[in-house]
Amino acid sequence: DAKTTQPTSMDCAEGRAANLPCNHSTISGNEYVYWYRQIHSQGPQYIIHGLKNNETNEMASLIITEDRKSSTLILPHATLRDTAVYYCIPNYGGSQGNLIFGKGTKLSVKP
Amino acid sequence: NAGVMQNPRHLVRRRGQEARLRCSPMKGHSHVYWYRQLPEEGLKFMVYLQKENIIDESGMPKERFSAEFPKEGPSILRIQQVVRGDSAAYFCASSPTRSTNEKLFFGSGTQLSVL
């Protein structure tokens, strides 16, 4: 399984873009990059995932480098409710379900 | 369309008692996963079940823990003779199929406290 490196914590001003980096240099060619977040005391919430191309949905954008060794999750206009721990998870997909949650990045959105 | 439902939300047990945690997947989902989150730690995969079958139990402790997902009714995670170290948040997730690009939908969890 690919190992990931994420900053322990980050701050972001409300209304600004939050850019959360993740290094996954050992990712294999058929592993997707999934992003989940966990708001305090709640279950994890899926955000977005991608394989090679950049992806965008109603929650966020995912930028994956061409060599796939790193990615960045972008929350375009962070709100206070986006304060959470964000997890970058390489995974083969296919509902194998064995997601490896590391320590993630604690994002604090401040007024 | 209700999300993944877990109950109870909080469960208190004394050492040696049994704990039964329930999980009703989203409508139409036949795949269920259980995760455990110990205090100040990340989530750890425990078991993956499809209706009436255990697919992957590589994360389950070898003793005292069991899981089932019967043809009718919720999935049950059962912990026998609980110890203080079992105190944790237990999360259930579900997905509709076993296909590529599948994401998991998580419930709000059961917080187990062992006295």
CSV table of all heavy atoms in Angstrom, one decimal, chain A residues 39-76:
chain,number,residue,atom,x,y,z
A,39,ILE,N,-15.3,15.5,10.3
A,39,ILE,CA,-15.6,16.6,11.2
A,39,ILE,C,-15.8,16.0,12.6
A,39,ILE,O,-16.2,14.9,12.8
A,39,ILE,CB,-16.9,17.3,10.8
A,39,ILE,CG1,-16.7,17.9,9.4
A,39,ILE,CG2,-17.4,18.4,11.8
A,39,ILE,CD1,-17.9,18.5,8.7
A,40,HIS,N,-15.4,16.8,13.6
A,40,HIS,CA,-15.3,16.3,15.0
A,40,HIS,C,-16.5,15.4,15.4
A,40,HIS,O,-17.6,15.9,15.3
A,40,HIS,CB,-15.1,17.4,15.9
A,40,HIS,CG,-14.9,17.0,17.4
A,40,HIS,ND1,-13.9,16.3,17.8
A,40,HIS,CD2,-15.7,17.2,18.5
A,40,HIS,CE1,-14.0,16.0,19.1
A,40,HIS,NE2,-15.1,16.6,19.5
A,41,SER,N,-16.2,14.2,15.9
A,41,SER,CA,-17.2,13.3,16.4
A,41,SER,C,-18.2,12.8,15.4
A,41,SER,O,-19.2,12.2,15.7
A,41,SER,CB,-18.0,14.0,17.5
A,41,SER,OG,-17.2,14.3,18.6
A,42,GLN,N,-17.9,13.0,14.1
A,42,GLN,CA,-18.8,12.5,13.1
A,42,GLN,C,-18.1,11.4,12.3
A,42,GLN,O,-16.8,11.2,12.4
A,42,GLN,CB,-19.3,13.6,12.1
A,42,GLN,CG,-20.1,14.7,12.8
A,42,GLN,CD,-20.6,15.7,11.8
A,42,GLN,OE1,-20.7,15.5,10.6
A,42,GLN,NE2,-20.9,16.9,12.3
A,43,GLY,N,-18.8,10.7,11.5
A,43,GLY,CA,-18.2,9.7,10.6
A,43,GLY,C,-17.5,10.4,9.4
A,43,GLY,O,-17.9,11.5,9.0
A,44,PRO,N,-16.5,9.7,8.8
A,44,PRO,CA,-15.9,10.3,7.6
A,44,PRO,C,-16.8,10.6,6.5
A,44,PRO,O,-17.8,9.9,6.3
A,44,PRO,CB,-14.8,9.2,7.2
A,44,PRO,CG,-14.6,8.4,8.5
A,44,PRO,CD,-16.0,8.4,9.2
A,45,GLN,N,-16.5,11.6,5.7
A,45,GLN,CA,-17.3,12.0,4.6
A,45,GLN,C,-16.5,12.0,3.3
A,45,GLN,O,-15.4,12.6,3.3
A,45,GLN,CB,-17.9,13.4,4.8
A,45,GLN,CG,-18.7,13.9,3.7
A,45,GLN,CD,-19.1,15.4,3.9
A,45,GLN,OE1,-18.4,16.1,4.6
A,45,GLN,NE2,-20.2,15.8,3.3
A,46,TYR,N,-16.9,11.3,2.3
A,46,TYR,CA,-16.2,11.3,1.0
A,46,TYR,C,-16.2,12.7,0.4
A,46,TYR,O,-17.2,13.4,0.5
A,46,TYR,CB,-16.9,10.3,0.1
A,46,TYR,CG,-16.5,10.5,-1.4
A,46,TYR,CD1,-15.4,9.8,-1.8
A,46,TYR,CD2,-17.3,11.2,-2.2
A,46,TYR,CE1,-15.0,9.9,-3.2
A,46,TYR,CE2,-16.9,11.3,-3.6
A,46,TYR,CZ,-15.8,10.7,-4.0
A,46,TYR,OH,-15.4,10.8,-5.4
A,47,ILE,N,-15.1,13.1,-0.2
A,47,ILE,CA,-15.0,14.4,-0.8
A,47,ILE,C,-14.9,14.2,-2.3
A,47,ILE,O,-15.7,14.7,-3.1
A,47,ILE,CB,-13.9,15.2,-0.3
A,47,ILE,CG1,-14.0,15.4,1.2
A,47,ILE,CG2,-13.8,16.6,-1.0
A,47,ILE,CD1,-12.7,16.1,1.8
A,48,ILE,N,-13.9,13.5,-2.7
A,48,ILE,CA,-13.5,13.4,-4.2
A,48,ILE,C,-12.5,12.4,-4.4
A,48,ILE,O,-11.8,11.9,-3.4
A,48,ILE,CB,-13.0,14.8,-4.7
A,48,ILE,CG1,-13.1,14.9,-6.2
A,48,ILE,CG2,-11.6,15.1,-4.1
A,48,ILE,CD1,-12.9,16.4,-6.7
A,49,HIS,N,-12.4,11.9,-5.6
A,49,HIS,CA,-11.3,11.0,-5.9
A,49,HIS,C,-10.9,11.1,-7.4
A,49,HIS,O,-11.6,11.6,-8.2
A,49,HIS,CB,-11.6,9.5,-5.6
A,49,HIS,CG,-12.6,8.9,-6.5
A,49,HIS,ND1,-13.9,9.1,-6.4
A,49,HIS,CD2,-12.4,8.0,-7.5
A,49,HIS,CE1,-14.5,8.4,-7.4
A,49,HIS,NE2,-13.6,7.7,-8.1
A,50,GLY,N,-9.7,10.6,-7.7
A,50,GLY,CA,-9.2,10.7,-9.1
A,50,GLY,C,-8.1,9.7,-9.3
A,50,GLY,O,-7.5,9.2,-8.4
A,51,LEU,N,-7.8,9.5,-10.6
A,51,LEU,CA,-6.7,8.6,-11.0
A,51,LEU,C,-5.5,9.3,-11.6
A,51,LEU,O,-4.4,9.3,-11.1
A,51,LEU,CB,-7.3,7.5,-11.9
A,51,LEU,CG,-6.3,6.4,-12.4
A,51,LEU,CD1,-5.9,5.6,-11.1
A,51,LEU,CD2,-6.9,5.5,-13.4
A,52,LYS,N,-5.8,10.0,-12.7
A,52,LYS,CA,-4.8,10.7,-13.4
A,52,LYS,C,-5.2,12.2,-13.7
A,52,LYS,O,-4.3,13.1,-13.5
A,52,LYS,CB,-4.5,10.1,-14.7
A,52,LYS,CG,-3.9,8.6,-14.7
A,52,LYS,CD,-3.6,8.1,-16.1
A,52,LYS,CE,-3.1,6.7,-16.0
A,52,LYS,NZ,-2.9,6.1,-17.4
A,53,ASN,N,-6.4,12.3,-14.0
A,53,ASN,CA,-6.8,13.7,-14.4
A,53,ASN,C,-7.3,14.5,-13.2
A,53,ASN,O,-7.7,13.9,-12.2
A,53,ASN,CB,-8.0,13.6,-15.4
A,53,ASN,CG,-7.6,12.8,-16.7
A,53,ASN,OD1,-6.5,13.0,-17.2
A,53,ASN,ND2,-8.4,12.0,-17.2
A,54,ASN,N,-7.3,15.8,-13.4
A,54,ASN,CA,-7.8,16.6,-12.3
A,54,ASN,C,-9.3,16.4,-12.3
A,54,ASN,O,-10.0,16.2,-13.3
A,54,ASN,CB,-7.5,18.1,-12.6
A,54,ASN,CG,-6.0,18.3,-12.6
A,54,ASN,OD1,-5.2,17.6,-12.0
A,54,ASN,ND2,-5.6,19.4,-13.3
A,55,GLU,N,-9.9,16.5,-11.1
A,55,GLU,CA,-11.3,16.3,-10.9
A,55,GLU,C,-11.9,17.5,-10.1
A,55,GLU,O,-11.3,18.1,-9.3
A,55,GLU,CB,-11.6,15.0,-10.1
A,55,GLU,CG,-11.0,13.8,-10.8
A,55,GLU,CD,-11.8,13.3,-12.0
A,55,GLU,OE1,-12.9,13.8,-12.2
A,55,GLU,OE2,-11.3,12.5,-12.8
A,56,THR,N,-13.2,17.7,-10.4
A,56,THR,CA,-13.9,18.8,-9.7
A,56,THR,C,-15.3,18.3,-9.4
A,56,THR,O,-16.0,17.7,-10.3
A,56,THR,CB,-14.0,20.1,-10.5
A,56,THR,OG1,-12.6,20.6,-10.6
A,56,THR,CG2,-14.8,21.2,-9.8
A,57,ASN,N,-15.8,18.6,-8.2
A,57,ASN,CA,-17.3,18.4,-8.0
A,57,ASN,C,-17.8,19.5,-7.1
A,57,ASN,O,-17.1,20.6,-7.0
A,57,ASN,CB,-17.5,17.0,-7.3
A,57,ASN,CG,-16.8,16.9,-5.9
A,57,ASN,OD1,-16.5,17.9,-5.3
A,57,ASN,ND2,-16.6,15.7,-5.5
A,58,GLU,N,-19.0,19.4,-6.6
A,58,GLU,CA,-19.6,20.5,-5.9
A,58,GLU,C,-18.9,20.8,-4.6
A,58,GLU,O,-19.1,21.9,-4.0
A,58,GLU,CB,-21.1,20.2,-5.6
A,58,GLU,CG,-21.3,19.0,-4.6
A,58,GLU,CD,-21.2,17.6,-5.3
A,58,GLU,OE1,-20.9,17.6,-6.5
A,58,GLU,OE2,-21.4,16.6,-4.6
A,59,MET,N,-18.0,19.9,-4.1
A,59,MET,CA,-17.3,20.2,-2.8
A,59,MET,C,-15.9,20.7,-3.0
A,59,MET,O,-15.5,21.6,-2.2
A,59,MET,CB,-17.2,18.9,-2.0
A,59,MET,CG,-18.6,18.4,-1.4
A,59,MET,SD,-18.3,16.9,-0.4
A,59,MET,CE,-17.4,17.6,1.0
A,60,ALA,N,-15.2,20.2,-4.0
A,60,ALA,CA,-13.8,20.5,-4.1
A,60,ALA,C,-13.2,20.2,-5.4
A,60,ALA,O,-13.9,19.6,-6.3
A,60,ALA,CB,-13.0,19.7,-3.0
A,61,SER,N,-12.0,20.6,-5.6
A,61,SER,CA,-11.2,20.2,-6.8
A,61,SER,C,-10.0,19.4,-6.4
A,61,SER,O,-9.5,19.6,-5.3
A,61,SER,CB,-10.7,21.4,-7.6
A,61,SER,OG,-11.8,22.1,-8.1
A,62,LEU,N,-9.6,18.5,-7.2
A,62,LEU,CA,-8.4,17.6,-6.9
A,62,LEU,C,-7.5,17.8,-8.1
A,62,LEU,O,-7.8,17.5,-9.2
A,62,LEU,CB,-8.9,16.1,-6.8
A,62,LEU,CG,-7.8,15.1,-6.6
A,62,LEU,CD1,-7.0,15.4,-5.4
A,62,LEU,CD2,-8.3,13.7,-6.6
A,63,ILE,N,-6.3,18.2,-7.7
A,63,ILE,CA,-5.2,18.4,-8.7
A,63,ILE,C,-4.2,17.3,-8.5
A,63,ILE,O,-3.6,17.2,-7.4
A,63,ILE,CB,-4.5,19.8,-8.6
A,63,ILE,CG1,-5.6,20.9,-8.6
A,63,ILE,CG2,-3.5,20.0,-9.7
A,63,ILE,CD1,-6.4,21.0,-9.9
A,64,ILE,N,-3.9,16.5,-9.5
A,64,ILE,CA,-2.9,15.4,-9.4
A,64,ILE,C,-1.8,15.7,-10.3
A,64,ILE,O,-2.0,16.0,-11.5
A,64,ILE,CB,-3.6,14.0,-9.8
A,64,ILE,CG1,-4.8,13.8,-8.9
A,64,ILE,CG2,-2.6,12.9,-9.6
A,64,ILE,CD1,-5.6,12.5,-9.3
A,65,THR,N,-0.6,15.6,-9.8
A,65,THR,CA,0.6,15.9,-10.6
A,65,THR,C,0.7,14.9,-11.7
A,65,THR,O,0.2,13.7,-11.6
A,65,THR,CB,1.9,16.0,-9.8
A,65,THR,OG1,2.0,14.7,-9.1
A,65,THR,CG2,1.8,17.1,-8.8
A,66,GLU,N,1.4,15.2,-12.8
A,66,GLU,CA,1.5,14.3,-13.9
A,66,GLU,C,2.2,13.0,-13.6
A,66,GLU,O,1.8,11.9,-14.1
A,66,GLU,CB,2.3,15.0,-15.0
A,66,GLU,CG,2.3,14.3,-16.4
A,66,GLU,CD,2.8,15.1,-17.5
A,66,GLU,OE1,2.9,16.4,-17.4
A,66,GLU,OE2,3.1,14.5,-18.6
A,67,ASP,N,3.2,13.1,-12.6
A,67,ASP,CA,3.8,11.8,-12.2
A,67,ASP,C,3.1,11.1,-11.1
A,67,ASP,O,3.5,10.0,-10.7
A,67,ASP,CB,5.3,12.1,-11.8
A,67,ASP,CG,5.3,13.0,-10.5
A,67,ASP,OD1,4.3,13.3,-9.9
A,67,ASP,OD2,6.4,13.4,-10.2
A,68,ARG,N,2.0,11.7,-10.7
A,68,ARG,CA,1.0,11.1,-9.7
A,68,ARG,C,1.7,10.9,-8.3
A,68,ARG,O,1.1,10.2,-7.5
A,68,ARG,CB,0.5,9.7,-10.2
A,68,ARG,CG,-0.3,9.8,-11.5
A,68,ARG,CD,-1.4,8.8,-11.7
A,68,ARG,NE,-1.2,7.5,-11.1
A,68,ARG,CZ,-2.0,7.1,-10.2
A,68,ARG,NH1,-3.0,7.8,-9.8
A,68,ARG,NH2,-1.8,5.9,-9.6
A,69,LYS,N,2.8,11.5,-8.1
A,69,LYS,CA,3.4,11.4,-6.8
A,69,LYS,C,2.9,12.3,-5.7
A,69,LYS,O,3.2,12.2,-4.5
A,69,LYS,CB,4.9,11.6,-6.9
A,69,LYS,CG,5.6,10.4,-7.7
A,69,LYS,CD,7.1,10.6,-7.8
A,69,LYS,CE,7.7,9.4,-8.5
A,69,LYS,NZ,9.2,9.5,-8.5
A,70,SER,N,2.0,13.2,-6.2
A,70,SER,CA,1.4,14.1,-5.2
A,70,SER,C,0.1,14.7,-5.7
A,70,SER,O,-0.1,14.6,-6.9
A,70,SER,CB,2.4,15.3,-4.8
A,70,SER,OG,2.6,16.1,-5.9
A,71,SER,N,-0.7,15.2,-4.8
A,71,SER,CA,-2.0,15.8,-5.2
A,71,SER,C,-2.3,16.9,-4.2
A,71,SER,O,-1.7,17.0,-3.1
A,71,SER,CB,-3.1,14.7,-5.2
A,71,SER,OG,-3.3,14.1,-4.0
A,72,THR,N,-3.2,17.7,-4.6
A,72,THR,CA,-3.7,18.8,-3.8
A,72,THR,C,-5.2,18.9,-3.9
A,72,THR,O,-5.8,18.9,-4.9
A,72,THR,CB,-3.1,20.2,-4.3
A,72,THR,OG1,-1.7,20.2,-4.3
A,72,THR,CG2,-3.6,21.3,-3.4
A,73,LEU,N,-5.8,18.9,-2.7
A,73,LEU,CA,-7.2,19.1,-2.6
A,73,LEU,C,-7.5,20.6,-2.4
A,73,LEU,O,-6.8,21.2,-1.5
A,73,LEU,CB,-7.8,18.4,-1.4
A,73,LEU,CG,-9.3,18.5,-1.1
A,73,LEU,CD1,-10.1,17.7,-2.1
A,73,LEU,CD2,-9.6,18.1,0.3
A,74,ILE,N,-8.4,21.1,-3.2
A,74,ILE,CA,-8.7,22.6,-3.1
A,74,ILE,C,-10.2,22.8,-2.7
A,74,ILE,O,-11.1,22.3,-3.4
A,74,ILE,CB,-8.4,23.3,-4.4
A,74,ILE,CG1,-7.0,23.1,-4.8
A,74,ILE,CG2,-8.8,24.8,-4.3
A,74,ILE,CD1,-6.7,23.6,-6.2
A,75,LEU,N,-10.3,23.5,-1.6
A,75,LEU,CA,-11.7,23.9,-1.2
A,75,LEU,C,-11.7,25.4,-1.6
A,75,LEU,O,-11.1,26.2,-1.0
A,75,LEU,CB,-11.9,23.8,0.3
A,75,LEU,CG,-11.6,22.4,0.9
A,75,LEU,CD1,-11.9,22.5,2.4
A,75,LEU,CD2,-12.5,21.4,0.3
A,76,PRO,N,-12.5,25.7,-2.6
A,76,PRO,CA,-12.4,27.1,-3.2
A,76,PRO,C,-12.7,28.2,-2.3
A,76,PRO,O,-12.1,29.3,-2.4
A,76,PRO,CB,-13.3,27.0,-4.4
A,76,PRO,CG,-14.2,25.8,-4.2
A,76,PRO,CD,-13.5,24.9,-3.3
